[in-house]
Amino acid sequence: MSKQDDNLWGSLVGGYKVPYDPRPMLEVLSEHHDNDAAWEELWNELHHQGDVGDASYAAVPVLVRLSAQHRPAHWGLYGLAATIEEARLMFPRNPPVPGWLMQDYAKAWDELFRLALRDLTIETDPKLVTCALAVVALHRKQLALARLALCADEERLEMLERQFAVEPPL
């Protein structure tokens, strides 16, 4: 998030396929990691109905770096990173990770995996657990499992009911 990169950051595209510079919200999160409004804006701007852009990919290493010092990390880190990666892998309409970002993006995913494993040993919050499991699954190249983890619990129960013709527990 250096001043030298202003031109680059200003030219990045978000989930709506229009320019979006995530730095102001990343800056908010650097000071207040649990700021719901900042997380919500990043969710809205970096991902839209399966669409992501280079701003989405560029935000992931910064979010991981900001989150590494928090125990546990915010569930939004895992959920947003997993959603961005899922969209990248699932939809050919999304751009690849740019060459200038590939190394940092890959390193961020390695660190994200470690953070998810760390937090899964102590956390029970359903949002954090399911999103961290999606990160683990994606890191291990298990896209279908990650997609399942990102579904709401009700959606998973409905799928199980349809697949196995069993009534969900009350």
Side-chain angles (χ1 to χ4, degrees), residues 33 39 67-68 70-78 115-116 118-119 123 128:
H33 196 252
W39 281 108
S67 300
H70 298 278
R71 285 185 81 110
H74 192 280
W75 72 267
L77 166 70
Y78 300 126
L115 292 175
R118 176 200 73 188
D119 288 346
E123 281 304 306
L128 190 140

Side-chain angles (χ1 to χ4, degrees), residues 86 130 134 142-153 155-157 159-160:
E86 176 196 29
T130 56
Q142 299 295 313
L143 180 59
L145 183 58
R147 294 190 78 206
L148 254 167
L150 289 172
C151 290
D153 196 45
E155 294 171 307
R156 288 190 297 269
L157 288 172
M159 285 183 241
L160 288 170

Side-chain angles (χ1 to χ4, degrees), residues 46-85:
L46 296 176
H47 174 266
H48 178 70
Q49 297 181 348
D51 290 336
V52 294
D54 48 9
S56 312
Y57 305 140
V60 170
V62 179
L63 287 169
V64 170
R65 196 167 40 254
L66 294 175
S67 300
Q69 64 195 4
H70 298 278
R71 285 185 81 110
H74 192 280
W75 72 267
L77 166 70
Y78 300 126
L80 183 55
T83 299
I84 289 167
E85 183 66 359

Side-chain angles (χ1 to χ4, degrees), residues 6-26:
D6 279 349
N7 290 337
L8 176 65
W9 282 97
S11 68
L12 299 179
V13 171
Y16 287 96
K17 303 298 183 191
V18 297
Y20 177 69
D21 184 346
R23 286 179 301 172
M25 291 304 104
L26 295 170

Side-chain angles (χ1 to χ4, degrees), residues 35 78 87 89 99 121 124 127-128 136 168:
N35 184 297
Y78 300 126
L89 296 170
T121 65
T124 59
K127 275 185 184 178
L128 190 140
V136 171

